Amino acid sequence: MGEAQSAIEVFPTPSPPGLRPHEKIIEAAYVKDKMGERMKQDDIKSGSLEHAEHLLGMLRGYRQAQVLMTCTESGVFEALAGHGRSAAVLAAALALDPDALRRLLDAAVALGLLERAEDIYSNAPATAVCLASDGDNYLGHLFRRESAFYERWGRLPEAIRTGHRPEPNRAMEDTGDWVRNFEYALYDLARLYGPAVAEALDLASDRPWRVLDVGGGHGGYSIALARRSPLLTAVVFDLPPVIDVTQEIVAATEVADRVRLRAGDFLVDDLGRDYDAALLFGVLVSESTDRRLALLRRVHAALKPGGLLVLREFAPENDGTAPAEALLFDLQMLLSTGAGGVLKRTTLTAELEATGFSTLEIRPLPLPTSRPLWLARRG
């Protein structure tokens, strides 16, 4: 069947009497064009709807995030640990408005965060594991800290306009509980990722290791390394207010005798000497070029000849292509630091070479949103 004939059959148009053969052909072509135009318009409408739905889903993602954070902050998941409760009983226990809480709980059910049987709400599997009770998979500190980052991201237009971290974002860190909450939030992630990092790094377990964890904060990665390598000792080096928190965390582990703490400024105070390996996790990304180079030189001096430097960085290619997580984290650094940002691969490589490191290796981690390990040796 020809296209013109098909077009006439799909969109029948009565021919005026006495129409000549060539005029019928012209009419068929006209009908075909009209059909194609209508199909094109339908395709555009369908595509536009898909585009709109995609953008609207992205735009309104904050609603889901707020339901998750509000349930966490208000203690819903922890109050439901191990047993279900009605909205009325839960509201009384948490001193919340019963009707407003019911609406929040129903939204959480719709998002798969909670389950409901008649009027009894209980935790879904994911929240039961990660948000209901303390343990190796607990992420409650991190989710509570995300509320502060949520507030910071609301000032992204200002940061893009000025090119600087908004002052209220800096001022948030002046509150008395900021350091403790921040370190416990990062420790949630370290407990989750630490074993994979230790396995990927694969330090020999049959020989002693002296590890320097520079800016190691919570100490979670040193803890993970010490658990995997029984002859390893680590020194976590960070600012005094941070080390106060690290002491709490390390003291609660079985490797406290092999994870030691040292308070100081890593650009001023002595880091020590003759370490077999040094960790720089999440440190360079927060620093200016001059401070990065100064820190790398100091770490170089602290390592033995041939000592191992381990970084965790996104370090995407220079063409600007990178996983969305890396580019969003770059914006996070704009909002949270005075001069930080995700380093391009060539920048990181050049700075390592300029400070005496060589033999660079990138070692991926078996984690969906995690930065890879970058391994270099002191020359």
Side-chain angles (χ1 to χ4, degrees):
M1 182 181 294
E3 289 183 359
Q5 183 179 358
S6 172
I8 292 173
E9 290 182 355
V10 174
F11 297 101
T13 303
S15 301
L19 200 64
R20 299 174 183 176
H22 76 278
E23 292 175 325
K24 290 182 178 180
I25 294 174
I26 294 173
E27 180 194 34
Y30 171 77
V31 173
K32 176 184 176 184
D33 288 344
K34 294 300 289 183
M35 182 195 73
E37 182 179 334
R38 180 180 299 180
M39 292 178 65
K40 184 177 180 181
Q41 289 175 347
D42 289 344
D43 288 344
I44 291 174
K45 289 179 182 178
S46 176
S48 297
L49 182 59
E50 291 177 2
H51 294 324
E53 288 177 344
H54 171 69
L55 294 175
L56 286 171
M58 187 181 299
L59 176 68
R60 294 171 177 167
Y62 69 90
R63 299 177 178 182
Q64 300 180 41
Q66 272 291 5
V67 169
L68 179 53
M69 289 187 290
T70 300
C71 284
T72 303
E73 289 182 352
S74 59
V76 167
F77 301 128
E78 292 175 347
L80 293 177
H83 58 275
R85 291 182 173 184
S86 68
V89 171
L90 195 58
L94 299 176
L96 300 172
D97 179 82
D99 183 63
L101 177 60
R102 177 191 56 76
R103 294 160 76 172
L104 174 67
L105 298 178
D106 286 343
V109 170
L111 293 175
L113 303 173
L114 297 178
E115 296 176 349
R116 183 181 63 209
E118 297 183 352
D119 66 339
I120 300 300
Y121 296 87
S122 59
N123 285 317
T127 49
V129 170
C130 297
L131 294 171
S133 59
D134 200 3
D136 288 344
N137 297 308
Y138 183 70
L139 297 174
H141 302 106
L142 176 67
F143 278 55
R144 290 185 176 91
R145 184 49 33 184
E146 283 296 317
S147 295
F149 295 150
Y150 187 93
E151 182 180 341
R152 282 183 168 180
W153 274 80
R155 301 187 182 97
L156 181 59
E158 178 185 343
I160 297 301
R161 185 173 62 253
T162 65
H164 301 289
R165 171 180 57 178
E167 173 56 24
N169 287 5
R170 186 211 60 76
M172 294 172 71
E173 300 181 13
D174 292 338
T175 59
D177 60 351
W178 175 270
V179 170
R180 188 174 192 278
N181 291 341
F182 184 77
E183 293 303 330
Y184 269 96
L186 294 183
Y187 183 52
D188 281 355
L189 285 179
R191 287 189 301 185
L192 189 65
Y193 294 161
V197 168
E199 182 175 354
L201 193 52
D202 195 24
L203 299 180
S205 60
D206 59 351
R207 53 152 288 192
W209 286 87
R210 292 186 66 242
V211 176
L212 174 64
D213 192 353
V214 184
H218 44 76
Y221 294 104
S222 288
I223 292 169
L225 292 177
R227 284 172 170 162
R228 184 176 174 83
S229 301
L231 301 180
L232 181 146
T233 59
V235 174
V236 180
F237 192 105
D238 216 315
L239 296 170
V242 176
I243 291 298
D244 289 344
V245 182
T246 317
Q247 178 64 45
E248 296 178 18
I249 293 172
V250 172
T253 73
E254 76 284 6
V255 293
D257 60 326
R258 292 189 289 119
V259 178
R260 297 152 192 170
L261 313 179
R262 184 177 298 175
D265 183 333
F266 53 54
L267 286 177
V268 176
D269 298 309
D270 181 39
L271 299 178
R273 292 290 185 273
D274 294 327
Y275 291 100
D276 300 292
L279 310 181
L280 272 175
F281 287 4
V283 176
L284 297 182
V285 74
S286 301
E287 303 292 345
S288 66
T289 301
D290 290 345
R291 287 175 61 88
R292 287 196 307 270
L293 291 171
L295 178 56
L296 287 171
R297 291 188 185 100
R298 289 175 61 82
V299 172
H300 182 277
L303 286 168
K304 291 178 177 178
L308 181 66
L309 171 64
V310 188
L311 311 171
R312 281 189 70 208
E313 299 287 343
F314 286 113
E317 298 288 356
N318 275 28
D319 61 4
T321 60
E325 182 69 15
L327 301 177
L328 291 172
F329 190 70
D330 192 36
L331 288 175
Q332 174 85 5
M333 292 298 97
L334 172 63
L335 291 164
S336 303
T337 68
V342 170
L343 303 178
K344 295 294 190 291
R345 184 165 303 194
T346 54
T347 301
L348 179 58
T349 301
E351 292 185 0
L352 287 170
E353 291 176 352
T355 52
F357 290 98
S358 59
T359 318
L360 185 66
E361 176 191 350
I362 303 173
R363 194 169 293 180
L365 296 172
L367 304 168
T369 61
S370 182
R371 289 161 279 179
L373 298 180
W374 294 69
L375 279 61
R377 293 279 180 184
R378 171 180 166 170

